[in-house]
Amino acid sequence: MPTQLMSAPRKLTWKNLALALLFFLLCPLFSLHTAQARGLEKIMESGELRACIVPVTPAYATFADPTCREDCLVSGPVPRVVEAVAAALGPDVRPVFHRLEWDEQFHNAEGRTVLEAEYTPYHLETGRCDVYPTHLTKNDWRLKKLDFAILFMNRIMVIAHQDRLPEFTSMDDLAGKTAGVALNTSLHTWVLEQNQGPFQDDPIQVRLIDTGTELASVMSGIADFTLLDAEVSLWESVNRFQNLSVVFPVGPMDEIGWAFRRQDQDLRDAVQAFFSEQLRTETTTLNTIWKEEYGLTLSQFRVLIQATQ
């Protein structure tokens, strides 16, 4: 009896010790996931602007190592603008580039994108990313998760093969045809909206494809057409896919920009002020980057888009 009385507390003590040890081991992990989101002040203190880029197309960015996920070497228009923004924030701020897949930008802590839910995306909340600069379209479901600094206005362009141009004379011709689009992009959202509205009797058929393969899906024939943002279609038609053509714009004007945590208004405002200042003259760093990468300055591109209304 005394032995049993002594053994029970000993077992309980070891169990408590094990639970306590587990708690203290997990505490740093909990803090990593809940307490490391970064605003402008922390960015300035650390000397790092952490930009998470999606390799959608070379019209945005190209990773030197396609498998790289952390502190990557990246080239192209988007990282060049990130470098310019980092320099504008301060001489001691350097850009650090991480890689995400498209839908990861919107994932919650469980690794899912829930369109109707309001939350801060996981990679922003944990501080792995300070900004998503890969030309995101501002829309209603994203505003439940993100705030935006607007870079330019945009329209969606319908892209088809030159051999099939007679089949694409107006938006009505899209009914019943197959669109190659990537999951949860603004282009996918647009197609779904049309299928609930004007095309509900003869919906556009959706072929979900990987981001960055939109034009290849048209070239291969698995899709009748695809949709691209205007600046991407401009770059692609010049550099890679001369057999494809922009047939017409669709949809309303969209606002395109960089995305941030909704709490980081100071960072958002600093980036928005940089964009606005850079549009004052044609010879600024931002306009020079656009001229070299897209063939038009950003100021000229904005005028071109306005003319499509």
Side-chain angles (χ1 to χ4, degrees):
M1 188 70 173
T3 303
Q4 290 177 345
L5 287 173
M6 291 291 291
S7 63
R10 184 179 298 123
K11 287 176 68 179
L12 184 61
T13 299
W14 281 111
K15 181 179 179 181
N16 286 344
L17 283 173
L19 288 173
L21 179 60
L22 181 61
F23 174 79
F24 284 115
L25 287 173
L26 289 178
C27 271
L29 294 179
F30 292 145
S31 63
L32 273 174
H33 290 287
T34 60
Q36 290 196 355
R38 292 153 37 93
L40 182 58
E41 182 177 354
K42 288 187 178 180
I43 289 169
M44 301 296 287
E45 289 175 356
S46 69
E48 291 183 355
L49 176 63
R50 299 172 186 171
C52 288
I53 292 179
V54 182
V56 178
T57 164
Y60 292 156
T62 300
F63 283 68
D65 177 2
T67 66
C68 180
R69 294 279 294 182
E70 306 287 332
D71 199 4
C72 303
L73 181 63
V74 193
S75 60
V78 169
R80 290 183 67 186
V81 176
V82 172
E83 290 168 355
V85 169
L89 291 178
D92 298 325
V93 179
R94 72 178 186 95
V96 176
F97 298 111
H98 302 319
R99 176 175 165 268
L100 293 179
E101 298 305 324
W102 184 263
D103 206 42
E104 284 185 288
Q105 296 176 108
F106 318 112
H107 279 179
N108 60 18
E110 287 75 45
R112 297 188 302 119
T113 298
V114 184
L115 299 188
E116 67 277 8
E118 184 172 337
Y119 57 86
T120 298
Y122 174 81
H123 291 287
L124 292 173
E125 187 64 33
T126 60
R128 180 174 182 239
C129 310
D130 300 320
V131 57
Y132 296 158
T134 317
H135 293 192
L136 274 78
T137 301
K138 177 180 172 181
N139 61 29
D140 290 342
W141 70 263
R142 290 175 183 168
L143 285 171
K144 296 178 180 178
K145 304 162 180 59
L146 300 162
D147 198 1
F148 290 79
I150 302 306
L151 184 59
F152 57 88
M153 302 298 293
N154 179 64
R155 290 197 74 186
I156 296 172
M157 302 293 171
V158 176
I159 313 293
H161 198 282
Q162 288 182 352
D163 293 344
R164 299 185 61 184
L165 293 185
E167 300 176 41
F168 295 88
T169 60
S170 71
M171 181 172 159
D172 292 341
D173 293 329
L174 304 183
K177 289 187 171 63
T178 300
V181 290
L183 179 69
N184 286 337
T185 60
S186 59
L187 311 173
H188 181 214
T189 300
W190 183 85
V191 172
L192 297 180
E193 289 172 347
Q194 304 317 301
N195 283 348
Q196 293 173 357
F199 295 147
Q200 57 183 330
D201 293 331
D202 190 10
I204 297 170
Q205 303 304 304
V206 176
R207 174 67 68 108
L208 289 176
I209 56 177
D210 292 335
T211 55
T213 64
E214 291 86 355
L215 295 178
S217 73
V218 178
M219 286 293 295
S220 67
I222 68 171
D224 299 317
F225 71 95
T226 191
L227 303 161
L228 286 180
D229 290 330
E231 86 284 12
V232 180
S233 63
L234 182 68
W235 191 94
E236 295 280 11
S237 64
V238 170
N239 290 282
R240 295 204 301 177
F241 290 95
Q242 288 82 11
N243 291 331
L244 303 182
S245 295
V246 175
V247 289
F248 46 77
V250 293
M253 288 285 185
D254 290 320
E255 293 179 298
I256 306 293
W258 290 14
F260 309 83
R261 284 196 322 146
R262 288 174 295 174
Q263 298 91 326
D264 294 334
Q265 294 182 3
D266 52 355
L267 178 59
R268 187 274 318 271
D269 290 347
V271 173
Q272 189 67 74
F274 174 81
F275 291 161
S276 299
E277 180 64 30
Q278 290 285 301
L279 289 168
R280 293 183 183 276
T281 66
E282 289 282 342
T283 57
T284 60
T285 300
L286 184 54
N287 270 326
T288 299
I289 291 171
W290 269 68
K291 179 70 173 178
E292 293 173 355
E293 297 285 353
Y294 297 108
L296 298 173
T297 67
L298 179 55
S299 297
Q300 291 169 336
F301 176 80
R302 287 161 66 103
V303 171
L304 178 66
I305 292 300
Q306 290 295 331
T308 68
Q309 284 186 300

